[in-house]
Amino acid sequence: MTPRVARALRMLSPHPWLAPVGGDAGVRPGPSPEGARAGLRTAGAAMIAALALPFAIAPAEAAHRPPRTGFETSEGRRWTGAAEERDFLAAVDRWSDRVSVDRVGTTGQGRPLRLVRVGRERPGATTVLLVCGQHGDEPAGREACLTTVRDLAFAEDRATRALLSRTTLLVLPTVNPDGRAAGTRGNAGGIDVNRDHIALETAEARAVAAVVRDERPQVIYDLHEYGATPPYYDKDLFALWPRNLNVHGRIHDASRTLSERYVRPAATAGGHTSGHYGIWTDPATGEPVKQVAGDGQERILRNVSGLKHAAGLLIESRIDALSEAEKTDPARNHRRRVASHLTALGGLLDFTDEQRARLRAATARSRLAGLTQRDPVYLGGADNDPAEPSEILADPPCGYRLDAARYAGVKDELALHGVTVQPERDGVFVPLRQSARSLIPLLLDRRATYHLANGQVRTAC
């Protein structure tokens, strides 16, 4: 047994609702404790095993008692409130020199959009972005994000300290606070934020875009929840990588590795079933029946992440009660949903630590490809759905011209997307030869489904 596994086993005495084997009464039975613990072999898994123990802290911090969320203090009977989140993050920021909290935007109703940074900025560090609570009626991922910030802030075990010495974790804990307050999927204007990562009409999506542009994360991990359709669409957790055909091959492969070799196995080791988001399967054979979601449309963060050179992953926990006990006691249901996200986060941390060299290489290749690439650009299709001939720019243009009026209408959005332009008389020219090459036609070509403006195609440079 390795020292890290031994430590994980010593720390596996958390609140019962976070037991990694689905041991809460009424929850679907998971593997035996021995089987689940045998899977805790890496830094991320060991840390996640201790997430209910924000008590492995330096003696100097012990007097403060690390803060707890409203969800934790109520044992899952209610979700953490906005004021509780504010006070919780302020306390973590005040007591831990690893954490800083900044305001990166303001919603339509005046609520702050916060970015939490865990770990010091160091040359060569891997940057991971957690995007939590895009849909206001999907709160479990947000709770997992908040407690993960706290536990990383105060953990003193060697594995976690080593992880943070070479990793910067960025967390947007509540991307849609107006929707969270109202209990609605959309924001205060009724817009689905996760369908706004091309148009950038909402303050929430603009804040995400600015963070991605400025911080250039190698991984973007997007936490959600879903409603089950038994027996075809009925797993504890679903995951999906960027399917858009313009995502660089190395980014696509790294994203799929994150899903298939790390996040889903971590969920399984924690006693949770998993599958691919958007795909109904035959319960008898496990074979796909039909696809109901999870396509390659570029406006969804999962796909935009890949287009912006980050390994991306969508992760969805099951909202519906798994048992009569969960129906009778909603707190059981809440605790299971948060616990499933926490187990998956262990896989993310392991991936980050073990695959950091691969991530750096994939990100660099993806960014540089736009400077030399002449490959086709796809206006439709997905990695499991070939594009129609009409959706393929087989010989992409040199770029797109925007006159002054059109440019004025999209200037801010192009800047947020990290697109560079060349001033011209009465307008600008947007060359494809830049890091944002694969994204630009989706923004400016009139044939693209969600384009921002009708750019004038220029075939020769």
Short mmCIF file of all heavy atoms in Angstrom, two decimals, residues 48 131 233 241 317 344:
data_model
loop_
_atom_site.label_atom_id
_atom_site.label_comp_id
_atom_site.label_asym_id
_atom_site.label_seq_id
_atom_site.Cartn_x
_atom_site.Cartn_y
_atom_site.Cartn_z
N ILE A 48 -10.12 14.19 -2.38
CA ILE A 48 -11.57 14.15 -2.40
C ILE A 48 -12.11 13.27 -1.27
O ILE A 48 -13.15 13.53 -0.70
CB ILE A 48 -12.08 13.65 -3.77
CG1 ILE A 48 -11.77 14.71 -4.83
CG2 ILE A 48 -13.56 13.33 -3.76
CD1 ILE A 48 -12.47 16.04 -4.61
N VAL A 131 -16.45 25.80 -13.75
CA VAL A 131 -17.59 26.67 -14.04
C VAL A 131 -18.81 26.04 -13.38
O VAL A 131 -19.24 24.95 -13.77
CB VAL A 131 -17.79 26.84 -15.55
CG1 VAL A 131 -18.99 27.74 -15.84
CG2 VAL A 131 -16.53 27.43 -16.19
N TYR A 233 -32.05 6.52 -19.90
CA TYR A 233 -31.18 7.66 -19.63
C TYR A 233 -31.18 7.87 -18.13
O TYR A 233 -31.88 8.72 -17.59
CB TYR A 233 -31.73 8.88 -20.37
CG TYR A 233 -30.77 10.02 -20.58
CD1 TYR A 233 -29.53 9.82 -21.17
CD2 TYR A 233 -31.12 11.32 -20.23
CE1 TYR A 233 -28.66 10.89 -21.38
CE2 TYR A 233 -30.27 12.38 -20.44
CZ TYR A 233 -29.04 12.16 -21.02
OH TYR A 233 -28.19 13.21 -21.23
N TRP A 241 -17.28 15.33 -23.67
CA TRP A 241 -16.18 16.17 -24.13
C TRP A 241 -16.66 17.08 -25.27
O TRP A 241 -17.78 16.95 -25.76
CB TRP A 241 -15.05 15.26 -24.62
CG TRP A 241 -15.53 14.23 -25.60
CD1 TRP A 241 -15.64 14.36 -26.95
CD2 TRP A 241 -16.02 12.92 -25.29
NE1 TRP A 241 -16.16 13.21 -27.52
CE2 TRP A 241 -16.41 12.31 -26.52
CE3 TRP A 241 -16.18 12.19 -24.10
CZ2 TRP A 241 -16.92 11.02 -26.58
CZ3 TRP A 241 -16.70 10.91 -24.16
CH2 TRP A 241 -17.07 10.33 -25.39
N SER A 317 -24.92 15.57 -12.89
CA SER A 317 -25.42 14.64 -11.88
C SER A 317 -26.93 14.48 -12.01
O SER A 317 -27.62 15.35 -12.52
CB SER A 317 -25.06 15.13 -10.46
OG SER A 317 -25.71 16.36 -10.17
N ALA A 344 -16.29 12.76 -8.82
CA ALA A 344 -15.82 13.05 -10.18
C ALA A 344 -14.71 14.08 -10.16
O ALA A 344 -13.76 14.01 -10.96
CB ALA A 344 -16.98 13.52 -11.04
#
